[in-house]
Amino acid sequence: MRSYRELFRTPEFTPFFLSYAAYNAALTIGGLSLATLVYRATDSPLLSALSMFGPQLAQVLGATFLLSGADRLRPRSTLVGMGLAFAALTAVLAVPGLPVWGVFGVVLLQGLIASLGGGVVGGLLNEILPKSGFVLGRSVFNMASGLMQVMGFALGGALLALLSPRTCLLLAAALYAVEALGYRLGLTARPARSAGRLSVAATWRTNAILWSSRPRRLTYLGLWLPNGLVVGCDSLYVSYAPGAAGALFASGALGMFAGDVVVGRFVRPELRARLATPLLLLLATPYLIFALRPEVPVAAAAVFLSNVGFAASLVQQERLMTLTPDDMAGHALGLRSAGMLTMQGVAAAIAGTAAQLTSPATAMTATATASIAVTLALSAAGKREERRPGVGGDGERGAAGVLGVADVDGVG
């Protein structure tokens, strides 16, 4: 499957796509509004960053206790329930007088609920589309995320100039309700992909199986660490440019959209596998310019260029699917999402703390440098894996194919 026309002619794909787009619009408007609300109340870069990216920290709990539900729960019912839960919790965040500790309690609960989302969405996409259409479909979903972030952050910034953050949070809650309605009306009721009930034991058992394979393990590290560290930079936009954070977020989303279009639609599969390391280096390197504390237009250009590099995840997710049995696909993608988002939350906390002690610009530069170092270390690990005696075959082909980050032919 190589064309968007084929993709959108696939039954159920269009309503699935539109509902996911509504979710991303709600997430961006709500996240920017909440970060602005907390920053105005506390004047703290750390608390502002955590209010926007704190839900990711709860993903580790979901990955530990709930992730078996990604394959053991009925996907349509789960997505509808999650949309309604997010609508209700976002409305709670808009309640006047809610203390900061209450805000973070709601935010962590949102993250715990969301920990199922990546696995359910990814597993359902894997069911709706043929294998040949997964990368194109995943890229379109990433593009939806990018476009909705461009529109959501731009609209959110404009709305915050006219309305209060609490009113904008209520608008985000309404969008979550629209998402739930779209899933309910547009998707077919399917049985769970795997037998059994959601359980902690099943979650741990499948996590252990997925993590026991060195190729999958290296793939997960490549998906989680460089990406998460760069999001630590993103978490400081509000404190770096309080009046123009929406413009920086929108520039980044536009760059992510451009990268997904090019890599998902126009790059040949044989070349795509060579691009992840260059893309991950591109993801971090432009942030080094923040050491010079650039003005907003230059900062926005750097952010745009950087976020093209998020397309590396397409290469890595494709590889992960080739290494994973179909009845674990949802769990595997959920573990990818939970680990990535957890790392993003950890990086936001680290970057926010560094910004509190130094400055947002200094913290962004240091976090980007750490991402570059991790990418290079993973590339070196990939080369060592390739040289190991006996490594070969489709399932254990060496870390260059496995990581997506270690195919150094593309690095030079």
Side-chain angles (χ1 to χ4, degrees):
M1 183 179 286
R2 293 292 299 165
S3 75
Y4 294 128
R5 180 176 298 176
E6 287 180 87
L7 193 64
F8 282 96
R9 284 179 175 172
T10 303
E12 298 183 82
F13 182 82
T14 297
F16 193 18
F17 169 82
L18 293 175
S19 300
Y20 184 74
Y23 164 78
N24 278 280
L27 192 67
T28 52
I29 293 173
L32 181 59
S33 301
L34 184 62
T36 302
L37 182 68
V38 170
Y39 189 66
R40 289 178 183 176
T42 65
D43 200 34
S44 168
L46 173 60
L47 293 179
S48 174
L50 287 178
S51 68
M52 192 166 190
F53 293 90
Q56 279 89 313
L57 291 172
Q59 296 277 338
V60 68
L61 297 176
T64 303
F65 299 111
L66 302 177
L67 204 50
S68 64
D71 291 306
R72 293 168 181 245
L73 296 174
R74 291 179 294 176
R76 186 180 73 173
S77 300
T78 304
L79 291 173
V80 170
M82 289 175 59
L84 293 175
F86 262 78
L89 291 171
T90 303
V92 169
L93 290 171
V95 173
L98 186 68
V100 172
W101 64 264
V103 168
F104 283 100
V106 173
V107 160
L108 289 176
L109 182 56
Q110 285 181 323
L112 190 60
I113 295 169
S115 63
L116 279 174
V120 176
V121 168
L124 185 55
L125 186 66
N126 204 42
E127 282 189 72
I128 289 174
L129 297 176
K131 296 292 184 185
S132 63
F134 179 80
V135 168
L136 186 62
R138 184 75 257 182
S139 76
V140 168
F141 266 57
N142 288 356
M143 287 157 54
S145 177
L147 273 179
M148 289 303 106
Q149 286 181 39
V150 171
M151 296 171 63
F153 285 127
L155 180 59
L159 288 173
L160 285 168
L162 300 173
L163 304 171
S164 70
R166 288 189 172 87
T167 302
C168 294
L169 284 168
L170 291 175
L171 292 174
L175 282 170
Y176 283 125
V178 169
E179 171 213 0
L181 182 63
Y183 286 137
R184 179 62 182 81
L185 298 179
L187 296 178
T188 300
R190 284 179 167 79
R193 281 180 295 277
S194 183
R197 300 169 62 90
L198 183 156
S199 73
V200 174
T203 298
W204 287 2
R205 185 167 55 251
T206 307
N207 283 347
I209 292 170
L210 291 170
W211 194 249
S212 65
S213 162
R214 180 175 171 83
R216 277 196 299 264
R217 192 161 60 244
L218 291 173
T219 303
Y220 277 125
L221 291 174
L223 280 160
W224 294 344
L225 299 179
N227 173 311
L229 287 165
V230 168
V231 172
C233 301
D234 299 357
S235 72
L236 299 177
Y237 291 167
V238 172
S239 53
Y240 181 82
L248 294 180
F249 279 117
S251 296
L254 190 60
M256 185 172 66
F257 174 80
D260 284 324
V261 169
V262 173
V263 174
R265 175 65 179 86
F266 297 109
V267 176
R268 300 188 311 276
E270 59 272 17
L271 175 60
R272 193 161 55 220
R274 299 175 177 271
L275 292 182
T277 293
L279 286 169
L280 288 174
L281 292 173
L282 176 63
L283 186 60
T285 303
Y287 277 102
L288 300 181
I289 199 173
F290 280 83
L292 304 177
R293 292 171 172 77
E295 296 296 326
V296 169
V298 176
V303 168
F304 171 87
L305 184 61
S306 162
N307 281 24
V308 171
F310 276 116
S313 70
L314 292 176
V315 180
Q316 296 163 307
Q317 287 180 72
E318 182 179 30
R319 180 58 183 167
L320 181 62
M321 287 296 91
T322 68
L323 295 166
T324 304
D326 285 346
D327 62 353
M328 293 184 183
H331 194 121
L333 289 167
L335 185 60
R336 186 273 320 176
S337 177
M340 181 185 70
L341 292 173
T342 297
M343 186 59 206
Q344 290 176 1
V346 169
I350 293 171
T353 301
Q356 197 88 23
L357 298 174
T358 57
S359 70
T362 300
M364 293 163 90
T365 306
T367 307
T369 301
S371 180
I372 293 170
V374 167
T375 296
L376 294 175
L378 288 171
S379 180
K383 287 190 288 185
R384 289 195 299 271
E385 179 71 9
E386 280 197 301
R387 291 195 293 266
R388 279 200 311 136
V391 174
D394 292 338
E396 304 278 339
R397 277 177 41 195
V402 172
L403 282 174
V405 296
D407 205 334
V408 294
D409 291 346
V411 179

